[in-house]
Amino acid sequence: GSQTWMSKNLAIDDGQGGIYTQTVNYGQGDVTEYYYTWDAAVRVADTVQGWHLPSVNEWNTLVDAVGYAYIAGTKLKSTYGWDSGNGDGSYAFAAFPSGLRSWGNFNGLGTKTAFWTSIENSSSQAYQSCFGTGNSVQTNSSYAKVNSCSVRLVKDSE
């Protein structure tokens, strides 16, 4: 569509807390993944000039541009690293199965990944977009803000 997305997850630690890292290996060398609480994701995204944390609608626009929700996972996931259901490389988005950090523990490595959106659901919850081992993407899953997800930014409109 008309959007430009970062091709990699955000990897900035501003030293103000709410950011966690984990070194993972998807079969092609070690990678340090960054996981942000929702407050940290909003804070750090605001420091990246020309880019912003995407809304649920912007995630929906991305998913619609590559097909529809039931095949978008295949189109947007990385071509390796998933325990099952690798992507097909149609786009350079390449979502890796970095899992997430929930209630102090990392989980889901190899089987899922989740990205924060800019939209709050309540004072304690915000929406995330989730990829799992299947072909689909869920763009409006509510998640506790104190937990940590990956972040992709979308370029500001001109």
Side-chain angles (χ1 to χ4, degrees), residues 13-132:
D13 186 344
D14 66 0
Q16 295 184 41
I19 302 167
Y20 305 90
T21 60
Q22 174 179 228
T23 301
V24 298
N25 189 312
Y26 301 113
Q28 302 209 1
D30 288 346
V31 175
T32 300
E33 292 287 3
Y34 286 71
Y35 305 82
Y36 299 82
T37 62
W38 187 79
D39 290 335
V42 170
R43 183 184 72 235
V44 174
D46 282 347
T47 68
V48 183
Q49 187 173 355
W51 297 83
H52 64 274
L53 193 61
S55 68
V56 171
N57 287 339
E58 287 172 312
W59 273 100
N60 287 335
T61 298
L62 173 64
V63 166
D64 290 347
V66 301
Y68 52 92
Y70 298 108
I71 64 163
T74 300
K75 303 289 184 188
L76 298 173
K77 289 187 332 187
S78 60
T79 58
Y80 61 92
W82 291 84
D83 291 350
S84 63
N86 286 323
D88 67 12
S90 298
Y91 296 86
F93 194 86
F96 285 98
S98 57
L100 41 84
R101 188 173 183 274
S102 141
W103 309 112
N105 298 304
F106 292 105
N107 61 67
L109 185 65
T111 62
K112 62 184 163 185
T113 192
F115 298 94
W116 283 122
T117 75
S118 62
I119 306 300
E120 292 179 274
N121 185 28
S122 70
S123 61
S124 63
Q125 304 250 327
Y127 290 110
Q128 62 178 350
S129 290
C130 304
F131 293 73

